Amino acid sequence: MKTSLLILLLCPLYIFAQDDLDDIFDDGEKKSRFKIGIETLPLITTVPNINFSFEIAKDLTIRPGIGIIPFGFYYDLNNWRPGENLPILDRDVSVGLYYDFLAKYNIHSELMGPDAKVFVYANYQHWTYDYQANFTVNRFKVNGGVGNDIRLGNRMSAEIRYGFMVGRDRFTYHAGETNPTGDKIFERNYSFGYNQADEHTKLLMFLDIAFGLHYTL
């Protein structure tokens, strides 16, 4: 009788101790509200970046991110399309700033099954940097669509997003004064100088595809 009573008394202590051990030696299976990650496409276009994910409500996550443009050049693959007048590559650029903000909402449907990790998202991205000392590039893009979360093992996960993008590239010339001789200069396929506007903008519009890597904290 005493032995049975002792076992009954120790069982709750064992359960509580096991919960504490699970917290200490968590293998990534437990759900977390926080992740740290990178956006891979900005990274391969010379923009090292980092972001932080917060699940603020059931199935709703927000993710602010920030990065820099440190290598003296920047390129944007969205500019390759025929008929576009923006170059893919900008050279002689200053250390610039990149930031973005993403919100996503997980979709649950009997048609997709319980293991499907599908979400809808909206994303804002912004780049700014000086170009050849006399110019400033200010660019933003707004993206939206659907995506998939892919478990890579332990705490690592990948994310792929498919959607549509619209944006604007603004290119500003800081000459200080209008050239009185009538001379003109051409940069990024824009004309500046005598009787020319000091600012040009270009509308960006294209399909959006993005990749991310994340680590659960």
Side-chain angles (χ1 to χ4, degrees), residues 19-32 151 154-155 215-217:
D19 288 342
D20 291 339
L21 289 175
D22 289 342
D23 289 336
I24 296 173
F25 299 104
D26 181 21
D27 61 0
E29 294 293 334
K30 294 185 68 176
K31 183 175 178 59
S32 173
R151 181 71 181 274
N154 293 326
R155 295 169 178 258
Y215 180 81
T216 301
L217 300 175

Side-chain angles (χ1 to χ4, degrees), residues 48-190:
N49 65 93
I50 189 170
N51 57 59
F52 299 92
S53 298
F54 308 91
E55 186 177 354
I56 60 173
K58 180 177 173 57
D59 295 322
L60 178 61
T61 298
I62 62 172
R63 184 163 71 233
I66 192 168
I68 59 173
I69 306 169
F71 301 118
F73 64 94
Y74 169 75
Y75 66 96
D76 192 329
L77 299 178
N78 278 325
N79 296 339
W80 69 268
R81 301 185 303 282
E84 297 295 333
N85 67 338
L86 289 176
I88 292 176
L89 177 66
D90 280 345
R91 298 181 182 274
D92 300 323
V93 306
S94 68
V95 175
L97 176 67
Y98 165 84
Y99 61 88
D100 73 330
F101 184 86
L102 182 143
K104 68 176 188 178
Y105 184 80
N106 296 329
I107 300 174
H108 301 283
S109 171
E110 295 180 357
L111 298 176
M112 296 183 297
D115 297 327
K117 303 294 183 181
V118 179
F119 58 85
V120 294
Y121 74 94
N123 185 29
Y124 176 83
Q125 298 174 288
H126 188 274
W127 300 257
T128 183
Y129 53 89
D130 291 335
Y131 171 85
Q132 296 186 359
N134 293 326
F135 301 88
T136 297
V137 177
N138 193 306
R139 175 180 298 175
F140 76 83
K141 297 177 183 177
V142 179
N143 317 288
V146 298
N148 300 91
D149 279 316
I150 304 169
R151 181 71 181 274
L152 299 180
N154 293 326
R155 295 169 178 258
M156 292 296 300
S157 62
E159 181 181 282
I160 181 170
R161 305 191 298 273
Y162 324 83
F164 187 74
M165 175 274 293
V166 295
R168 183 218 64 205
D169 181 276
R170 175 176 291 167
F171 191 51
T172 305
Y173 180 41
H174 304 287
E177 61 183 22
T178 301
N179 192 334
T181 65
D183 292 339
K184 298 179 182 179
I185 62 173
F186 295 88
E187 290 292 344
R188 296 175 92 234
N189 297 316
Y190 291 128

